[in-house]
């Protein structure tokens, strides 16, 4: 499984971590990759911690389990750093991407001694600027695509536009805001 990219998402119910992991699976699939995108739930309620996963590969994926030793972790809600061991199993040659206004150096002491790359992005600021409301999943999706170098950024944006046209067919007015959030996130992830 050395050619399989594994990502674990941490968020809270209602923040869009599951949706972002499924969108990532869709866009990677549309660029010819083999993919898996799936959530894991505890008590299903708004605000409860949730975990979602992605596997992306150039060859068929034969494993069907949770991801215990990911190359990348995405933390959609910074408050989870206080209650969830988000770095558990995270490989040192990967990275963690955290939704926070803090810099990577400011956030590193909260990561249980994790020695790999730390990337931060202020998804709150970006989503409010682009969408007028706090929806962190689009900025976080773009951030992991950039940090993990999952695909060409232009191809990613093109695929996301098509995905948003389908997802938001009944409310096309939100497509441009989501596209702006993706573009800003690609520029602003630290």
């Amino acid at each position: 499984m050395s050619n399989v990219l594994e990502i674990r998402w941490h968020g809270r119910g209602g923040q869009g971590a599951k949706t972002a992991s499924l969108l990532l699976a869709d866009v990677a699939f549309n660029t010819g990759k083999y993919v898996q995108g799936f959530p894991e739930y505890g008590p299903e309620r708004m605000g409860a911690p949730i975990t979602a996963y992605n596997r992306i590969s150039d060859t068929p994926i034969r494993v069907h389990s949770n991801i215990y030793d990911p190359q990348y972790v995405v933390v959609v809600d910074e408050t989870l750093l206080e209650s969830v061991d988000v770095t558990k199993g995270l490989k040192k040659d990967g990275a963690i991407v955290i939704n926070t206004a803090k810099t990577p150096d400011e956030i590193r002491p909260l990561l249980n001694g994790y020695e790999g790359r730390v990337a931060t992005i202020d998804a709150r600021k970006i989503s409010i600027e682009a969408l007028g409301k706090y929806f962190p999943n689009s900025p976080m999706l773009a951030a992991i695509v950039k940090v993990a170098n999952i695909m060409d950024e232009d191809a990613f944006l093109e695929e996301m536009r098509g995905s948003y046209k389908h997802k938001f067919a009944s409310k096309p007015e939100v497509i441009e805001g989501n596209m702006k959030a993706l573009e800003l996130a690609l520029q602003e992830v630290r």
Side-chain angles (χ1 to χ4, degrees), residues 92-113:
K92 290 180 187 175
D93 62 349
I96 186 167
V97 181
I98 302 168
N99 175 12
T100 180
K102 297 175 182 164
T103 67
D105 288 337
E106 290 172 316
I107 209 79
R108 187 175 291 280
L110 305 174
L111 300 179
N112 300 323

Side-chain angles (χ1 to χ4, degrees), residues 1 4-10 36-38 40 51-56 63-73 88-91:
M1 274 204 357
V4 177
L5 178 69
E6 294 183 318
I7 302 167
R8 186 175 65 218
W9 296 75
H10 292 279
Q36 291 178 351
F38 54 97
E40 173 186 45
T51 309
Y53 304 93
N54 285 111
R55 284 191 180 93
I56 302 170
V63 64
H64 299 281
S65 68
N66 288 349
I67 295 171
Y68 301 103
D69 299 307
Q71 288 99 343
Y72 296 93
V73 167
K88 184 175 183 178
L90 179 56
K91 295 179 179 174

Side-chain angles (χ1 to χ4, degrees), residues 27 32 40 51 66 78 116-117 121 132 135 190:
V27 298
E40 173 186 45
T51 309
N66 288 349
E78 177 183 10
R117 284 190 305 149
I121 183 161
F135 295 110
R190 304 182 283 254

Side-chain angles (χ1 to χ4, degrees), residues 111-178:
L111 300 179
N112 300 323
Y114 178 65
E115 298 173 3
R117 284 190 305 149
V118 176
T120 61
I121 183 161
D122 191 344
R124 176 178 296 279
K125 178 182 79 78
I126 290 170
S127 65
I128 290 173
E129 178 181 334
L131 299 161
K133 292 183 178 177
Y134 181 47
F135 295 110
N137 58 341
S138 285
M140 296 308 293
L141 174 57
I144 189 60
V145 166
K146 174 119 183 178
V147 169
N149 196 26
I150 294 171
M151 65 185 71
D152 174 78
E153 290 177 22
D154 290 333
F156 167 68
L157 291 171
E158 182 180 325
E159 289 297 330
M160 285 306 300
R161 181 172 293 283
S163 188
Y164 284 153
K165 282 181 180 176
H166 176 74
K167 180 175 176 51
F168 299 123
S170 64
K171 43 185 177 174
E173 66 277 5
V174 303
I175 295 171
E176 288 311 312
N178 276 282

